[in-house]
Amino acid sequence: SQLLFVIILLVVAMGKQKKTRKFAAVKRVITSSQKKKADADETAKFNKKKEEKEKKMNMFGTVRHKEQASSAMFFSYNTQLGPPYHIILDTNFINFAIQNKLDIMQASMDCLFAKCIPCITDCVMAELEKLGRKYRLALKIAKDPRFQRLPCMHKGTYADDCIVNRIKEHKCYIVATCDRDLKRRIRKVPGVPIMYLSQRKFAVERLPDTQ
C-alpha cells in the first residue's frame, strides 16, 4: 500500500511538471509573436510618417532662410536711388579706369546723366596701400577730395565682403566693379545696380528707368 501511494504521488508530480512546462512553452511562443507584431506596427508607423513628411516637402518645398526685404524695394525699383548717385568704387575698377584713360567723375556723369559722388571705403583704400608702388596712381586718385570716404567699423580689410555687407544694410549705392565674383554676389542683392567698363566707357546694369 505504501509503494502504491508513492507511485501515485510520482505520477501526479510528473503530470504537474509536464503541464507547467507546456504552459511555459505556450506563453513563450505568444510573447515572441506579439513582440514581432509590435515591431512591425512601429515600422509601419515610422514609414507612414516619413512618407507624409516627404509629401509635404514636395508640396511646399524646402524651408529656407529669407532676408527681410527693404522698405525701399516696395515697387519694382529702388526708391533710395536717385541723383546725386553715390557710387562705391572697387579696387580693380579704379585700376581699369586708369588703363582706359577715363576720368571717374566725368565718365560716371556721362553714363548716368546726373551728378555722381564716388565713394571709397577704408577697406578699398587699405587694399590700394598694400598693393605698393604699382598702384600708386590708383591710390592718388582714390584720395581725390571730390570722393567721399566711407569709414569701416569692422575687423579685417577684405573689400568685397565690406562692400556686400554695406549694400545689404543701405540700398542707396551703385557698386562700380569689374570683378566677376563680386558682381555675382551683388546680383543676389535686389535693387543694387552695378557699374562696369564696356568699350572704353562706363555702363550700368539693373538701373531702373523710372526713379
Side-chain angles (χ1 to χ4, degrees):
S1 61
Q2 289 182 355
L3 181 62
L4 183 63
F5 180 72
V6 171
I7 291 169
I8 291 170
L9 286 174
L10 287 170
V11 170
V12 171
M14 288 176 68
K16 284 184 178 180
Q17 189 176 5
K18 284 182 180 179
K19 285 182 180 179
T20 306
R21 285 179 181 176
K22 190 175 180 181
F23 174 75
V26 172
K27 187 177 181 182
R28 186 162 58 249
V29 171
I30 292 170
T31 305
S32 178
S33 63
Q34 284 179 344
K35 188 177 180 182
K36 287 181 180 179
K37 188 178 179 182
D39 291 342
D41 291 341
E42 286 182 5
T43 306
K45 286 179 181 179
F46 177 77
N47 291 334
K48 189 176 180 181
K49 286 182 179 179
K50 190 176 179 181
E51 288 176 3
E52 289 176 356
K53 189 177 180 180
E54 287 177 355
K55 284 181 181 178
K56 287 181 180 179
M57 292 284 283
N58 293 331
M59 189 180 295
F60 300 105
T62 55
V63 179
R64 296 176 182 174
H65 173 69
K66 189 174 181 181
E67 292 185 4
Q68 186 177 358
S70 172
S71 59
M73 297 297 298
F74 185 78
F75 297 104
S76 59
Y77 59 88
N78 188 351
T79 57
Q80 289 186 2
L81 284 173
Y85 293 103
H86 290 75
I87 306 168
I88 297 178
L89 304 178
D90 189 23
T91 307
N92 61 7
F93 186 85
I94 300 171
N95 192 43
F96 275 108
I98 293 167
Q99 290 177 11
N100 288 275
K101 298 179 181 179
L102 293 171
D103 179 79
I104 292 174
M105 185 71 77
Q106 187 60 45
S108 299
M109 290 192 289
D110 292 342
C111 175
L112 297 172
F113 302 105
K115 184 180 178 181
C116 299
I117 302 173
C119 302
I120 303 289
T121 64
D122 288 344
C123 290
V124 172
M125 193 68 75
E127 277 191 0
L128 289 171
E129 289 172 353
K130 285 180 181 179
L131 290 170
R133 294 188 63 186
K134 188 179 178 181
Y135 290 84
R136 63 181 182 275
L137 182 57
L139 182 61
K140 184 179 179 181
I141 291 172
K143 291 179 178 178
D144 191 319
R146 296 176 298 173
F147 292 5
Q148 183 178 339
R149 186 73 175 266
L150 300 177
C152 298
M153 306 304 292
H154 58 82
K155 294 180 180 179
T157 56
Y158 188 57
D160 289 4
D161 289 344
C162 172
I163 292 170
V164 172
N165 291 333
R166 192 177 292 272
I167 62 174
K168 283 181 179 179
E169 293 176 3
H170 310 286
K171 305 284 186 178
C172 59
Y173 296 109
I174 297 172
V175 179
T177 182
C178 297
D179 187 278
R180 289 184 180 180
D181 292 335
L182 183 56
K183 280 183 180 179
R184 179 175 49 80
R185 293 175 66 183
I186 294 168
R187 288 188 185 108
K188 293 179 181 179
V189 183
V192 180
I194 301 170
M195 183 177 282
Y196 58 97
L197 270 83
S198 177
Q199 299 178 355
R200 293 184 175 274
K201 62 181 180 180
F202 292 175
V204 66
E205 67 174 64
R206 302 204 308 173
L207 185 70
D209 296 330
T210 309
Q211 300 295 339

